[in-house]
Amino acid sequence: MPYDPMAPTPSERSAAYYIVGIGAAANLVLLSTQWVTLSSLVSGGCILAVATSLLVAVLSSRNDDYFRHVSCIASRFAMGIIAIWFCLAAIIHIGNGAQLIGEWAGGGLSGDNVTAGPNDWFASETLAITVAMAFHIRFFFERYRR
C-alpha cells in the first residue's frame, strides 16, 4: 500500500469521534434548556460545542471513509427531520390561512382560537437543537450498529 501523507493518524481519527461525542453531550444539555433555565455562559458554551461537532463531522476531509460515511448518513437523517418540520409548519400555516378566510367569510367574526398550532414547537432554536440531536443520535446509532 503506498504511503499517503494526508491519511489521518489514529489519534486524529479518535479525536474526531471524541469531538462529536462532546457535541452530543452538549446537545443533551441544550435539550434540557427547553425545560430548565441555564446561564447564558453555559448555553453559549454548549452551542459552541454542538456547532464545532457538527462542523467536524460534516466538513472534515481528513477523516477516513468510514467516518465520512457515518457523517453522511447522519446528515441525511437530519435533513429528513427538517423536511418533516417543514411539512408540519406548512400544515399549520395552511390552517391559519383557512381560519383567516373563514373570518373574512364570516364578516370579521373570529372564535377564541388565535392560532391554529403550537408556535413554540416551531421556534428556530428548538428546531436547531432537535435537528442537531437527530444528527448525533443517528451518528452514534450508525457507528455502533455493527
Side-chain angles (χ1 to χ4, degrees):
M1 174 151 74
Y3 173 71
D4 182 11
M6 296 302 289
T9 64
S11 63
E12 288 174 334
R13 280 193 298 256
S14 64
Y17 288 114
Y18 182 72
I19 289 171
V20 174
I22 288 175
N27 204 351
L28 282 173
V29 173
L30 281 178
L31 193 62
S32 72
T33 62
Q34 299 299 312
W35 298 282
V36 178
T37 304
L38 293 176
S39 73
S40 60
L41 185 63
V42 172
S43 296
C46 288
I47 290 170
L48 184 63
V50 170
T52 302
S53 74
L54 293 175
L55 287 173
V56 164
V58 175
L59 298 179
S60 180
S61 62
R62 280 199 35 96
N63 288 314
D64 56 351
D65 290 337
Y66 179 70
F67 184 87
R68 287 192 300 250
H69 172 72
V70 170
S71 294
C72 180
I73 289 174
S75 298
R76 288 191 322 219
F77 183 73
M79 289 297 113
I81 298 296
I82 290 175
I84 291 169
W85 177 85
F86 273 125
C87 290
L88 293 174
I91 290 169
I92 286 176
H93 285 289
I94 290 170
N96 285 337
Q99 180 183 357
L100 182 63
I101 292 171
E103 289 175 13
W104 289 343
L109 301 173
S110 78
D112 292 338
N113 186 9
V114 178
T115 59
N119 290 328
D120 291 343
W121 293 356
F122 293 96
S124 60
E125 181 179 352
T126 305
L127 172 67
I129 291 169
T130 304
V131 170
M133 196 72 227
F135 174 86
H136 287 109
I137 288 170
R138 184 59 194 236
F139 184 90
F140 286 109
F141 173 78
E142 197 64 33
R143 180 173 180 216
Y144 293 114
R145 180 171 72 139
R146 299 172 195 180

